[in-house]
Amino acid sequence: MPYWPAGTQIMWREGAGPLGTGPLALDPSAPHFAAPVTVVRDDDSSLVVWLPIGTPVLRAARADGLGKRDDPDTLFTAPLALSHGVHGLYDQLRIAPTGRPWSVWLMFSGGVCCGWYVNLERPHVRTNRAVLTSDRVLDVVVAPDRSVTLKDEDELVLAVSQGVFTPSEAEAISADAASILALVDSWGSPFCDGCEDFAPDPAWPIPHLPGG
């Protein structure tokens, strides 16, 4: 499939399960987390996209009206309903290295990089105007001083007990997290690539959902 030129709007779709886990969201009408994003760069090494504050997004909400983390006992088993929202908190520059089971999200506030968030996820599958992935629960948070926090280990345990992952799959996810910690420690790519100095093209509009 050809690479997308800079400025192209595509969809970044997570899995069709709780917290973005589960099967790929092949049916866009199924409850899942998704955001329209603008392509910054797309080549054989990685896909880089921009997600600004104010972007309309799709969310997989609990059908019972509880917050997504309100009941840990049903965190990964509660029925879902598709809902709409608006992306907030930080502008994000997302970097998805080709074939890797993670992507790196640089968080910006007022044009200043506030740190890196490494989202463990299934390697991306591309369609005509979307990338599809599925969340692997664990995350790595890297502060501006390069201190590191491994996030959501408790939820990975719940994901195993509630049938999302097998114990062996969880071990593989933890191994991927360990490789990310080693990458941060050596300050390898993409952390060393100067992406914290990124500024979007001011001509880019706020992305919109398909049909919007």
Side-chain angles (χ1 to χ4, degrees):
M1 188 168 294
Y3 298 119
W4 293 299
T8 303
Q9 290 192 9
I10 64 170
M11 289 294 292
W12 182 298
R13 299 187 186 277
E14 299 186 41
L19 306 187
T21 61
L24 297 180
L26 299 175
D27 176 3
S29 67
H32 68 292
F33 290 90
V37 294
T38 301
V39 173
V40 176
R41 189 184 76 246
D42 185 28
D43 54 33
D44 60 354
S45 66
S46 61
L47 170 66
V48 183
V49 302
W50 178 244
L51 174 60
I53 291 172
T55 300
V57 297
L58 299 178
R59 293 174 177 156
R62 289 179 62 116
D64 59 11
L66 293 177
K68 61 185 180 181
R69 289 183 167 89
D70 282 354
D71 182 10
D73 291 339
T74 58
L75 183 62
F76 293 100
T77 59
L80 302 175
L82 187 64
S83 67
H84 290 73
V86 176
H87 175 69
L89 286 182
Y90 295 104
D91 297 315
Q92 294 180 3
L93 183 71
R94 296 185 177 185
I95 304 169
T98 301
R100 297 291 185 92
W102 44 266
S103 60
V104 177
W105 304 357
L106 283 79
M107 306 296 188
F108 290 86
S109 178
V112 176
C113 181
C114 303
W116 297 260
Y117 186 96
V118 187
N119 196 61
L120 275 78
E121 60 198 22
R122 175 175 170 172
H124 288 187
V125 173
R126 298 165 67 104
T127 67
N128 184 45
R129 275 297 179 95
V131 288
L132 309 178
T133 185
S134 179
D135 197 88
R136 298 285 172 84
V137 180
L138 283 186
D139 304 296
V140 177
V141 179
V142 184
D145 64 2
R146 302 188 187 182
S147 59
V148 178
T149 302
L150 183 60
K151 185 173 175 287
D152 296 334
E153 292 174 284
D154 56 336
E155 291 187 355
L156 183 59
V157 173
L158 289 174
V160 172
S161 67
Q162 295 175 24
V164 177
F165 302 118
T166 65
S168 61
E169 287 172 333
E171 288 179 7
I173 293 167
S174 295
D176 288 337
S179 71
I180 293 165
L181 296 177
L183 180 63
V184 173
D185 186 62
S186 66
W187 208 243
S189 182
F191 299 100
C192 64
D193 295 341
C195 296
E196 61 270 23
D197 297 324
F198 172 79
D201 186 330
W204 288 344
I206 296 290
H208 58 79
L209 293 169

Short mmCIF file of all heavy atoms in Angstrom, two decimals, residues 149-190:
data_model
loop_
_atom_site.label_atom_id
_atom_site.label_comp_id
_atom_site.label_asym_id
_atom_site.label_seq_id
_atom_site.Cartn_x
_atom_site.Cartn_y
_atom_site.Cartn_z
N THR A 149 8.41 5.48 34.17
CA THR A 149 7.41 4.80 34.98
C THR A 149 6.71 3.75 34.12
O THR A 149 6.24 4.06 33.02
CB THR A 149 6.35 5.78 35.51
OG1 THR A 149 6.99 6.80 36.28
CG2 THR A 149 5.33 5.06 36.38
N LEU A 150 6.68 2.51 34.60
CA LEU A 150 5.92 1.45 33.93
C LEU A 150 4.49 1.52 34.48
O LEU A 150 4.28 1.46 35.69
CB LEU A 150 6.55 0.09 34.20
CG LEU A 150 5.90 -1.11 33.51
CD1 LEU A 150 5.93 -0.96 31.99
CD2 LEU A 150 6.60 -2.41 33.93
N LYS A 151 3.53 1.62 33.57
CA LYS A 151 2.15 1.94 33.95
C LYS A 151 1.21 0.77 33.65
O LYS A 151 1.37 0.06 32.66
CB LYS A 151 1.71 3.19 33.19
CG LYS A 151 0.35 3.76 33.52
CD LYS A 151 0.16 5.09 32.80
CE LYS A 151 -1.25 5.64 33.03
NZ LYS A 151 -2.26 4.88 32.26
N ASP A 152 0.22 0.56 34.53
CA ASP A 152 -0.91 -0.36 34.33
C ASP A 152 -0.54 -1.83 34.42
O ASP A 152 -1.19 -2.68 33.80
CB ASP A 152 -1.62 -0.07 33.00
CG ASP A 152 -2.26 1.31 32.96
OD1 ASP A 152 -2.59 1.82 34.05
OD2 ASP A 152 -2.41 1.86 31.87
N GLU A 153 0.47 -2.15 35.23
CA GLU A 153 0.79 -3.56 35.46
C GLU A 153 -0.38 -4.29 36.11
O GLU A 153 -0.63 -5.47 35.82
CB GLU A 153 2.04 -3.68 36.34
CG GLU A 153 3.32 -3.20 35.67
CD GLU A 153 4.49 -3.20 36.63
OE1 GLU A 153 4.56 -2.26 37.47
OE2 GLU A 153 5.33 -4.12 36.55
N ASP A 154 -1.11 -3.58 36.98
CA ASP A 154 -2.26 -4.20 37.64
C ASP A 154 -3.36 -4.54 36.63
O ASP A 154 -4.03 -5.58 36.75
CB ASP A 154 -2.81 -3.29 38.74
CG ASP A 154 -3.18 -1.89 38.24
OD1 ASP A 154 -2.63 -1.45 37.21
OD2 ASP A 154 -4.02 -1.24 38.88
N GLU A 155 -3.53 -3.68 35.62
CA GLU A 155 -4.56 -3.94 34.63
C GLU A 155 -4.18 -5.10 33.70
O GLU A 155 -5.05 -5.80 33.19
CB GLU A 155 -4.84 -2.67 33.82
CG GLU A 155 -5.52 -1.59 34.67
CD GLU A 155 -5.96 -0.38 33.86
OE1 GLU A 155 -5.65 -0.32 32.65
OE2 GLU A 155 -6.59 0.52 34.45
N LEU A 156 -2.88 -5.31 33.49
CA LEU A 156 -2.47 -6.47 32.70
C LEU A 156 -2.83 -7.75 33.44
O LEU A 156 -3.27 -8.73 32.81
CB LEU A 156 -0.97 -6.41 32.41
CG LEU A 156 -0.43 -7.54 31.53
CD1 LEU A 156 -1.12 -7.58 30.18
CD2 LEU A 156 1.08 -7.42 31.37
N VAL A 157 -2.67 -7.76 34.75
CA VAL A 157 -3.08 -8.93 35.55
C VAL A 157 -4.58 -9.16 35.39
O VAL A 157 -5.03 -10.30 35.19
CB VAL A 157 -2.72 -8.72 37.04
CG1 VAL A 157 -3.29 -9.85 37.89
CG2 VAL A 157 -1.20 -8.65 37.20
N LEU A 158 -5.37 -8.09 35.45
CA LEU A 158 -6.81 -8.22 35.26
C LEU A 158 -7.15 -8.70 33.85
O LEU A 158 -8.07 -9.50 33.67
CB LEU A 158 -7.50 -6.89 35.53
CG LEU A 158 -7.56 -6.40 36.98
CD1 LEU A 158 -8.15 -4.99 37.04
CD2 LEU A 158 -8.39 -7.35 37.83
N ALA A 159 -6.40 -8.22 32.87
CA ALA A 159 -6.66 -8.62 31.49
C ALA A 159 -6.46 -10.12 31.31
O ALA A 159 -7.18 -10.77 30.54
CB ALA A 159 -5.77 -7.84 30.54
N VAL A 160 -5.50 -10.68 32.02
CA VAL A 160 -5.29 -12.13 31.96
C VAL A 160 -6.43 -12.85 32.68
O VAL A 160 -7.02 -13.80 32.14
CB VAL A 160 -3.93 -12.50 32.58
CG1 VAL A 160 -3.80 -14.02 32.70
CG2 VAL A 160 -2.79 -11.95 31.73
N SER A 161 -6.77 -12.40 33.87
CA SER A 161 -7.81 -13.09 34.65
C SER A 161 -9.18 -12.98 33.99
O SER A 161 -10.03 -13.85 34.18
CB SER A 161 -7.86 -12.53 36.07
OG SER A 161 -8.32 -11.19 36.08
N GLN A 162 -9.39 -11.92 33.18
CA GLN A 162 -10.68 -11.73 32.52
C GLN A 162 -10.66 -12.17 31.05
O GLN A 162 -11.59 -11.88 30.30
CB GLN A 162 -11.12 -10.27 32.65
CG GLN A 162 -11.39 -9.89 34.11
CD GLN A 162 -11.71 -8.42 34.33
OE1 GLN A 162 -12.16 -7.72 33.42
NE2 GLN A 162 -11.49 -7.95 35.55
N GLY A 163 -9.62 -12.88 30.66
CA GLY A 163 -9.62 -13.58 29.39
C GLY A 163 -9.16 -12.81 28.16
O GLY A 163 -9.30 -13.31 27.04
N VAL A 164 -8.59 -11.62 28.34
CA VAL A 164 -8.13 -10.85 27.18
C VAL A 164 -6.82 -11.43 26.64
O VAL A 164 -6.64 -11.55 25.43
CB VAL A 164 -7.95 -9.37 27.54
CG1 VAL A 164 -7.40 -8.58 26.36
CG2 VAL A 164 -9.27 -8.78 28.00
N PHE A 165 -5.90 -11.77 27.54
CA PHE A 165 -4.62 -12.33 27.17
C PHE A 165 -4.38 -13.63 27.93
O PHE A 165 -4.87 -13.82 29.05
CB PHE A 165 -3.47 -11.37 27.49
CG PHE A 165 -3.58 -10.03 26.83
CD1 PHE A 165 -3.69 -8.88 27.59
CD2 PHE A 165 -3.55 -9.91 25.45
CE1 PHE A 165 -3.80 -7.63 27.00
CE2 PHE A 165 -3.66 -8.67 24.84
CZ PHE A 165 -3.78 -7.53 25.62
N THR A 166 -3.60 -14.53 27.33
CA THR A 166 -3.14 -15.72 28.04
C THR A 166 -1.93 -15.33 28.89
O THR A 166 -1.29 -14.29 28.65
CB THR A 166 -2.74 -16.81 27.06
OG1 THR A 166 -1.59 -16.37 26.31
CG2 THR A 166 -3.89 -17.14 26.10
N PRO A 167 -1.56 -16.16 29.86
CA PRO A 167 -0.35 -15.86 30.63
C PRO A 167 0.89 -15.71 29.75
O PRO A 167 1.73 -14.83 29.99
CB PRO A 167 -0.24 -17.04 31.59
CG PRO A 167 -1.66 -17.48 31.78
CD PRO A 167 -2.32 -17.29 30.45
N SER A 168 1.02 -16.53 28.73
CA SER A 168 2.19 -16.43 27.86
C SER A 168 2.17 -15.14 27.05
O SER A 168 3.23 -14.53 26.82
CB SER A 168 2.28 -17.64 26.93
OG SER A 168 1.14 -17.71 26.09
N GLU A 169 0.98 -14.70 26.63
CA GLU A 169 0.89 -13.42 25.92
C GLU A 169 1.27 -12.27 26.84
O GLU A 169 1.95 -11.32 26.42
CB GLU A 169 -0.53 -13.23 25.37
CG GLU A 169 -0.86 -14.12 24.18
CD GLU A 169 -2.32 -14.07 23.78
OE1 GLU A 169 -3.17 -13.79 24.66
OE2 GLU A 169 -2.61 -14.32 22.60
N ALA A 170 0.84 -12.35 28.10
CA ALA A 170 1.19 -11.30 29.06
C ALA A 170 2.70 -11.27 29.30
O ALA A 170 3.30 -10.19 29.44
CB ALA A 170 0.44 -11.52 30.37
N GLU A 171 3.33 -12.43 29.32
CA GLU A 171 4.79 -12.47 29.48
C GLU A 171 5.48 -11.80 28.30
O GLU A 171 6.46 -11.08 28.45
CB GLU A 171 5.26 -13.92 29.60
CG GLU A 171 4.91 -14.58 30.93
CD GLU A 171 5.36 -16.03 30.99
OE1 GLU A 171 6.06 -16.48 30.05
OE2 GLU A 171 5.03 -16.71 31.98
N ALA A 172 4.95 -12.01 27.09
CA ALA A 172 5.53 -11.39 25.91
C ALA A 172 5.35 -9.87 25.95
O ALA A 172 6.25 -9.12 25.56
CB ALA A 172 4.89 -11.96 24.65
N ILE A 173 4.20 -9.42 26.43
CA ILE A 173 3.95 -7.98 26.56
C ILE A 173 4.93 -7.38 27.56
O ILE A 173 5.51 -6.30 27.33
CB ILE A 173 2.49 -7.73 26.98
CG1 ILE A 173 1.54 -8.15 25.85
CG2 ILE A 173 2.28 -6.26 27.35
CD1 ILE A 173 0.09 -8.22 26.27
N SER A 174 5.14 -8.05 28.67
CA SER A 174 6.09 -7.57 29.67
C SER A 174 7.51 -7.53 29.12
O SER A 174 8.29 -6.62 29.43
CB SER A 174 6.03 -8.45 30.92
OG SER A 174 4.76 -8.34 31.56
N ALA A 175 7.84 -8.50 28.28
CA ALA A 175 9.16 -8.50 27.64
C ALA A 175 9.30 -7.32 26.68
O ALA A 175 10.38 -6.70 26.61
CB ALA A 175 9.38 -9.82 26.90
N ASP A 176 8.22 -6.99 25.97
CA ASP A 176 8.26 -5.81 25.10
C ASP A 176 8.47 -4.55 25.93
O ASP A 176 9.21 -3.65 25.52
CB ASP A 176 6.95 -5.70 24.30
CG ASP A 176 6.83 -6.74 23.21
OD1 ASP A 176 7.88 -7.27 22.76
OD2 ASP A 176 5.69 -7.05 22.81
N ALA A 177 7.80 -4.47 27.08
CA ALA A 177 7.98 -3.31 27.95
C ALA A 177 9.42 -3.21 28.43
O ALA A 177 10.00 -2.11 28.49
CB ALA A 177 7.03 -3.39 29.14
N ALA A 178 10.02 -4.35 28.75
CA ALA A 178 11.42 -4.35 29.18
C ALA A 178 12.35 -3.85 28.08
O ALA A 178 13.33 -3.13 28.34
CB ALA A 178 11.83 -5.75 29.63
N SER A 179 12.03 -4.20 26.83
CA SER A 179 12.85 -3.73 25.71
C SER A 179 12.73 -2.22 25.54
O SER A 179 13.70 -1.54 25.17
CB SER A 179 12.48 -4.46 24.43
OG SER A 179 11.20 -4.04 23.95
N ILE A 180 11.54 -1.68 25.83
CA ILE A 180 11.35 -0.23 25.75
C ILE A 180 12.15 0.45 26.86
O ILE A 180 12.80 1.49 26.62
CB ILE A 180 9.86 0.12 25.86
CG1 ILE A 180 9.11 -0.39 24.63
CG2 ILE A 180 9.66 1.62 26.01
CD1 ILE A 180 7.61 -0.42 24.79
N LEU A 181 12.14 -0.10 28.05
CA LEU A 181 12.92 0.47 29.15
C LEU A 181 14.40 0.52 28.78
O LEU A 181 15.10 1.51 29.07
CB LEU A 181 12.71 -0.33 30.43
CG LEU A 181 11.29 -0.34 31.00
CD1 LEU A 181 11.21 -1.24 32.23
CD2 LEU A 181 10.83 1.07 31.35
N ALA A 182 14.89 -0.54 28.12
CA ALA A 182 16.29 -0.57 27.69
C ALA A 182 16.54 0.48 26.60
O ALA A 182 17.61 1.13 26.59
CB ALA A 182 16.65 -1.96 27.18
N LEU A 183 15.57 0.66 25.70
CA LEU A 183 15.71 1.66 24.64
C LEU A 183 15.78 3.07 25.24
O LEU A 183 16.59 3.90 24.80
CB LEU A 183 14.54 1.55 23.67
CG LEU A 183 14.52 2.52 22.49
CD1 LEU A 183 15.72 2.29 21.58
CD2 LEU A 183 13.22 2.38 21.70
N VAL A 184 14.94 3.33 26.23
CA VAL A 184 14.96 4.64 26.89
C VAL A 184 16.28 4.85 27.60
O VAL A 184 16.88 5.92 27.55
CB VAL A 184 13.78 4.78 27.87
CG1 VAL A 184 13.90 6.07 28.67
CG2 VAL A 184 12.45 4.74 27.12
N ASP A 185 16.76 3.80 28.26
CA ASP A 185 18.02 3.90 29.00
C ASP A 185 19.19 4.26 28.08
O ASP A 185 20.07 5.03 28.46
CB ASP A 185 18.30 2.58 29.72
CG ASP A 185 19.51 2.66 30.63
OD1 ASP A 185 19.48 3.48 31.57
OD2 ASP A 185 20.49 1.91 30.39
N SER A 186 19.17 3.71 26.86
CA SER A 186 20.22 4.03 25.89
C SER A 186 19.92 5.28 25.08
O SER A 186 20.75 5.73 24.29
CB SER A 186 20.42 2.84 24.94
OG SER A 186 19.27 2.64 24.13
N TRP A 187 18.71 5.81 25.26
CA TRP A 187 18.20 6.97 24.54
C TRP A 187 18.34 6.79 23.03
O TRP A 187 18.85 7.63 22.30
CB TRP A 187 18.86 8.26 25.01
CG TRP A 187 17.95 9.45 24.84
CD1 TRP A 187 18.16 10.53 24.05
CD2 TRP A 187 16.68 9.65 25.48
NE1 TRP A 187 17.09 11.41 24.15
CE2 TRP A 187 16.18 10.90 25.02
CE3 TRP A 187 15.93 8.92 26.40
CZ2 TRP A 187 14.95 11.41 25.44
CZ3 TRP A 187 14.70 9.43 26.82
CH2 TRP A 187 14.23 10.66 26.34
N GLY A 188 17.79 5.66 22.59
CA GLY A 188 17.80 5.34 21.18
C GLY A 188 16.64 5.99 20.46
O GLY A 188 15.80 6.69 21.04
N SER A 189 16.57 5.75 19.15
CA SER A 189 15.48 6.30 18.33
C SER A 189 14.14 5.66 18.70
O SER A 189 14.10 4.46 18.99
CB SER A 189 15.80 6.02 16.85
OG SER A 189 14.82 6.54 16.01
N PRO A 190 13.07 6.43 18.76
CA PRO A 190 12.91 7.82 18.31
C PRO A 190 13.17 8.89 19.37
O PRO A 190 13.00 10.08 19.09
CB PRO A 190 11.44 7.85 17.87
CG PRO A 190 10.76 6.95 18.84
CD PRO A 190 11.75 5.83 19.09
#
